[in-house]
Amino acid sequence: MPQVKILEEVCKGCGLCCDEVCPVDILILSPNRINSSGYHPAEVTDNGKCIGCGYCFKICPEPAIEVYK
Amino acid sequence: MKQLFGRPNGLTDVLQRYCPGCGHGIVHRIIGDLLIKLNIRECTVGIAPVGCSVFADEYFNCDMIQPPHGRGPAVSTGIKRARPDCIVFSYQGDGDLAAIGTAEIVHAAARNENITIVFINNAIFGMTGGQLAPTTLPGMKSTTSVQGRDIKKQGYPIKVCELLAGLDGPYYLVRTAVNTPKNVINTEKALKNAFVNQIENKGFSMVEILSMCPTNWGMTPVQSKKWVDDTMMKYYPLGEYRNRAKEEK
């Protein structure tokens, strides 16, 4: 099964991956977590639904997203 | 587990100091990816611009040079002529390429120099604090056009792809964007063509990339992504302006 991994310390919480990019809509900006730079990183809500398309990785400026299979 | 997508080896492990939502990082990642995929990392010399991406020499995992403002195409010409075995790319923003470096880019294109230009167009001067750039849209607010760009005072924006397409020299001119995954994939293809043209000694290739600058536009990253779609693309239409490879077929 494909899996998305967010590198929380690298993420700047821009939210580009969270808005209409994920076809299965499993990425959100974390409401609770905060990284050492003070950003709310992106969070995966349900990794079981991931289809491994890599759109989130392609739009990520850092890139703070890795996709595994 | 096998990694499908991840940070390419063409980029160093240094954290990029761009604002959240900036398009520079996406283009850096694409170039870093291509350096590995085309197996040219060892022989590539990159030209870092003046602007937000002035620290590009720390981010790309290849040899880099940082010339004065706007002189990227001139320095690229020198390197390429002295060392034709090197792959040379010049990474420039709109203030760098379209304001201070207009003469250099026009003449490099007219000479059909065998170099690759990566041109990031975000319609504003980013690092210096959001001043009016030659590419700022009519009516668009910046810190030096607080009422919006008035075409009677500041003139019309420069459309660099259309400008260079008026010359016979350039081999490949294309405009893409990085605001959606689809556009990012098109940008990947365009940049690959631009580097392959240079490897095959075809001549001058430029990829103009419409990019987001949420901080200076005064928007959230998600709003700026939509603004590129709704406003910027109407003034700067995407597409190929010159592709000699297709014309020759």
Side-chain angles (χ1 to χ4, degrees), chain B residues 16-245:
Chain B
Q16 296 173 2
R17 293 180 286 265
Y18 297 121
C19 308
C22 174
H24 274 306
I26 304 173
V27 184
H28 281 19
R29 194 267 304 160
I30 297 172
I31 296 175
D33 219 11
L34 281 173
L35 292 179
I36 302 302
K37 276 186 185 155
L38 299 173
N39 198 17
I40 53 172
R41 190 185 74 79
E42 293 284 326
C43 62
T44 297
V45 181
I47 310 292
V50 173
C52 297
S53 43
V54 68
F55 294 121
D57 55 311
E58 290 180 25
Y59 306 147
F60 288 114
N61 198 3
C62 63
D63 292 334
M64 297 291 290
I65 291 180
Q66 214 285 301
H69 207 173
R71 262 83 252 196
V75 175
S76 311
T77 302
I79 298 169
K80 190 68 187 179
R81 288 192 178 193
R83 290 284 305 272
D85 53 318
C86 285
I87 302 296
V88 184
F89 75 90
S90 176
Y91 187 101
Q92 294 181 273
D94 49 353
D96 192 342
L97 185 138
I100 299 99
T102 323
E104 276 78 6
I105 188 70
V106 170
H107 286 280
R111 294 192 306 266
N112 195 19
E113 289 292 341
N114 190 23
I115 52 176
T116 302
I117 309 281
V118 184
F119 169 37
I120 310 296
N121 180 356
N122 55 14
I124 208 154
F125 274 90
M127 182 187 68
T128 48
Q131 289 87 353
L132 182 112
T135 46
T136 300
L137 303 177
M140 181 177 166
K141 285 181 185 169
S142 69
T143 50
T144 45
S145 61
V146 284
Q147 307 290 333
R149 183 175 187 150
D150 181 357
I151 48 171
K152 283 181 187 155
K153 275 190 202 156
Q154 286 116 354
Y156 288 92
I158 296 178
K159 298 179 174 181
V160 178
C161 269
E162 285 88 336
L163 174 77
L164 297 184
L167 301 168
D168 292 335
Y171 189 84
Y172 184 60
L173 299 170
V174 63
R175 186 182 286 129
T176 62
V178 287
N179 63 330
T180 61
K182 184 189 159 201
N183 286 333
V184 172
I185 291 167
N186 287 337
T187 306
E188 284 174 1
K189 286 178 191 160
L191 278 168
K192 190 180 175 196
N193 287 344
F195 276 98
V196 168
N197 287 343
Q198 189 183 157
I199 294 168
E200 294 174 351
N201 290 318
K202 299 288 190 190
F204 183 90
S205 304
M206 188 185 81
V207 183
E208 175 176 348
I209 301 164
L210 304 184
S211 167
M212 299 79 82
C213 182
T215 304
N216 287 309
W217 293 353
M219 298 177 193
T220 66
V222 172
Q223 284 169 339
S224 67
K225 188 169 86 167
K226 296 205 168 88
W227 193 82
V228 172
D229 253 332
D230 301 339
T231 315
M232 223 174 151
M233 277 184 200
K234 284 192 183 126
Y235 203 84
Y236 296 111
L238 304 187
E240 282 184 351
Y241 288 82
R242 175 72 59 79
N243 190 350
R244 289 256 193 261

